[in-house]
Amino acid sequence: MAKEKITEEVQVLVETELRKGASNSRIANLLNLPYKEAVEIIETIKEDLRPDIGDEIIFFFRDEPMEGIIEKLLTNSAIVKINWDQSAERMHDLMEEKTVVNFKDIEGFKKQVNEDTEDLE
């Protein structure tokens, strides 16, 4: 699907679901599209997705899975505080507490905690 065929509504839906950590299958179902067609849309949107401060992301460093929270946004990258409980321990000797991650190297978003649900009690 060409980039110009992606409506704003589809863009917002896919970005929201990616930030929640939704699977491609779930997004395809929400879009009511065949899986292959939905993946093309997802990949197109993912290329242009700009993360937000506070997003929990998944990325790789030297082929090791890493997780962290975005603390500051730069032009094409972000300063990320590494979550060592969810990252490869052997990388601790190679990396500082924070690192720079290019947007293109973000593999995915961890499900965000909805703080509003705590207020509903």
Side-chain angles (χ1 to χ4, degrees), residues 71-115:
E71 291 191 337
K72 183 175 182 178
L73 294 173
L74 306 172
T75 305
N76 292 313
S77 57
I79 305 294
V80 177
K81 182 176 181 187
I82 298 170
N83 178 349
W84 288 111
D85 292 337
Q86 301 297 319
S87 299
E89 277 189 47
R90 65 188 211 118
M91 293 291 116
H92 198 59
D93 293 338
L94 298 173
M95 299 179 78
E96 299 291 328
E97 181 180 331
K98 297 179 184 180
T99 190
V100 176
V101 177
N102 289 322
F103 292 160
K104 65 183 175 78
D105 294 331
I106 296 174
E107 293 293 320
F109 294 86
K110 295 284 288 183
K111 187 172 182 162
Q112 299 294 303
V113 176
N114 187 351
E115 295 170 358

Side-chain angles (χ1 to χ4, degrees), residues 10 43 54 79 118:
V10 168
E43 291 303 318
I79 305 294
E118 294 173 2

Side-chain angles (χ1 to χ4, degrees), residues 6 10-11 22-23 34 53 58 69 71 73 88 92 115:
I6 297 174
V10 168
Q11 176 96 17
S23 67
I53 292 174
I58 301 167
I69 298 173
E71 291 191 337
L73 294 173
H92 198 59
E115 295 170 358

Side-chain angles (χ1 to χ4, degrees), residues 26-63:
R26 174 169 167 69
I27 296 171
N29 190 22
L30 290 171
L31 293 173
N32 199 24
L33 292 172
Y35 181 79
K36 187 176 179 182
E37 189 177 332
V39 168
E40 290 176 18
I41 292 171
I42 293 165
E43 291 303 318
T44 300
I45 292 172
K46 195 185 273 188
E47 288 175 13
D48 296 329
L49 180 63
R50 183 173 171 86
D52 290 324
I53 292 174
D55 282 350
E56 293 182 54
I57 63 167
I58 301 167
F59 62 99
F60 283 85
F61 180 74
R62 294 190 182 174
D63 296 325

